[in-house]
Amino acid sequence: MRWKIIQLQYCFLLVPCMLTALEAVPIDVDKTKVHNTEPVESAKIEPPDTGLYYDEYLKQVIDVLETDQHFREKLQKADIEEIRSGRLSKELDLVSHHVRTKLDELKRQEVARLRMLIKAKLDSLQDTGMNHQLLLKQFEHLNHQNPDTFESRDLDMLIKAATADLEQYDRTRHEEFRKYEMMKEHERREYLKTLNEEKRKEEESKFEEMKRKHENHPKVNHPGSKDQLKEVWEEADGLDPNDFDPKTFFKLHDVNNDGFLDEQELEALFTKELEKVYDPRNAEDDMIEMEEERLRMREHVMNEIDSNKDRLVTLEEFLRATEKKEFLEPDSWETLSQQQLFTEEELKEYESIIAMQENELKKKADELQKQKEELQRQHDHLEAQKQEYHQAVQQLEQKKFQQGIAPSGPAGELKFKPHT
């Protein structure tokens, strides 16, 4: 069960479903309320791609480690700090020979894959004199100095690399969304500059009307509040709102029956709220914004409920949260349309960066155009020389003919024998 904690603490995009064969946290469920409480039998849900260039290697190492009973027992007793610090990696020395052999094979395959990618990169750069081992140092998810065997250091490096890379991915995702919003506003303003005053006013009026239509939606419940969960209970689960029971709710939405609500299971709870604000059929509703809203909701709930910050919500954490004032009397939830995603100063700075990039591209385009013109000039010059050469040859042949000399071929040979 604890390996799931590793997955989500260090790889939050991996679906934590590797341990579906283990027992879930016992939960008392009212059988009269829930029609289908049977556990998911060996539910094999394929984890989503993390986006890491070593995603497949990461998943394969997890699968192999899960087969060792000793390692699993240590995982059950380990806390998050022990996993994060790398102390747990030392337990790798005690796993079975069969498991170590499989891990060794996985590492050799990964090293071979990296070497192949590096060779392709070198070939593309035509720099075959560079040392492959030197380039391997850029891959921090394994110990490249030992390409043959999987050691405790490899597990430690894999965990730490995934931690750093995915945390950076999370920060980058938020920043990319801000850039997306600034680009939309920049393009809108640039378009307005191309219009006359009458058309500009007309477009501004349309823009404001679209904003009003988007903001005209039912009240959005605070994510993770009692009102929000009861709405899911009633509309998605088809149960009587007067019978709302947190334990039963937890059991229903622990889809893979592993005793945790993971990030994907939490995000699924916000679909009803998002449908109030976003409709793919409406021009005023941006689906990219909807996904950002979903992630904001999930991150907010995790911050409120996930007390040990392992990116998993246990039944105990869930029930503890339902006793808080914020669960019963939450503040109103501000959607993205009510947020100031960027300031005028930030937009101007972003536009200046765009302008610099456009200038650089224009310079490169101008340079390429000059190179093209120079190549065309050289081509024309060669064509002119070729034409002059052909004319000179023709004139020479004509003179020879007039003088009764047999015409010659390109190498000076006679084309035919003269009459004797």
Side-chain angles (χ1 to χ4, degrees), residues 169-182:
Y169 178 85
D170 201 21
R171 289 190 293 268
T172 301
R173 176 181 55 79
H174 286 296
E175 183 57 28
E176 287 302 316
F177 176 74
R178 283 182 68 255
K179 288 180 181 179
Y180 167 75
E181 289 293 318
M182 287 192 285

Side-chain angles (χ1 to χ4, degrees), residues 176-191:
E176 287 302 316
F177 176 74
R178 283 182 68 255
K179 288 180 181 179
Y180 167 75
E181 289 293 318
M182 287 192 285
M183 178 57 78
K184 278 203 319 184
E185 179 61 16
H186 168 70
E187 290 179 346
R188 187 184 75 84
R189 294 184 184 187
E190 289 299 305
Y191 173 66

Side-chain angles (χ1 to χ4, degrees), residues 122 158 244 247 253 277 285 392 402:
L122 290 174
L158 183 59
F244 177 75
K247 280 188 178 182
H253 295 278
V277 185
D285 297 336
Q402 291 172 350

Side-chain angles (χ1 to χ4, degrees), residues 3 57-58 60-62 64-65 71 89-97 99-111 141-143 146-159:
W3 186 248
Y57 175 65
L58 177 63
Q60 289 173 339
V61 169
I62 290 173
V64 171
L65 285 172
F71 202 83
S89 301
K90 303 300 181 184
E91 296 297 329
L92 186 69
D93 296 332
L94 303 176
V95 301
S96 67
H97 175 73
V99 169
R100 289 299 290 268
T101 300
K102 284 189 174 181
L103 291 172
D104 292 346
E105 182 181 354
L106 287 177
K107 183 177 178 181
R108 286 193 292 270
Q109 290 174 355
E110 178 70 357
V111 170
H141 64 288
L142 52 73
N143 177 17
N146 175 14
D148 298 316
T149 58
F150 190 100
E151 307 295 340
S152 59
R153 183 181 174 189
D154 289 292
L155 181 57
D156 187 35
M157 291 177 71
L158 183 59
I159 290 173

Side-chain angles (χ1 to χ4, degrees), residues 361-376:
L361 288 173
K362 187 176 184 305
K363 286 180 182 178
K364 290 180 180 178
D366 290 342
E367 289 174 4
L368 289 172
Q369 182 62 31
K370 288 179 181 178
Q371 292 175 12
K372 179 182 177 181
E373 291 172 357
E374 176 61 22
L375 289 172
Q376 185 63 47

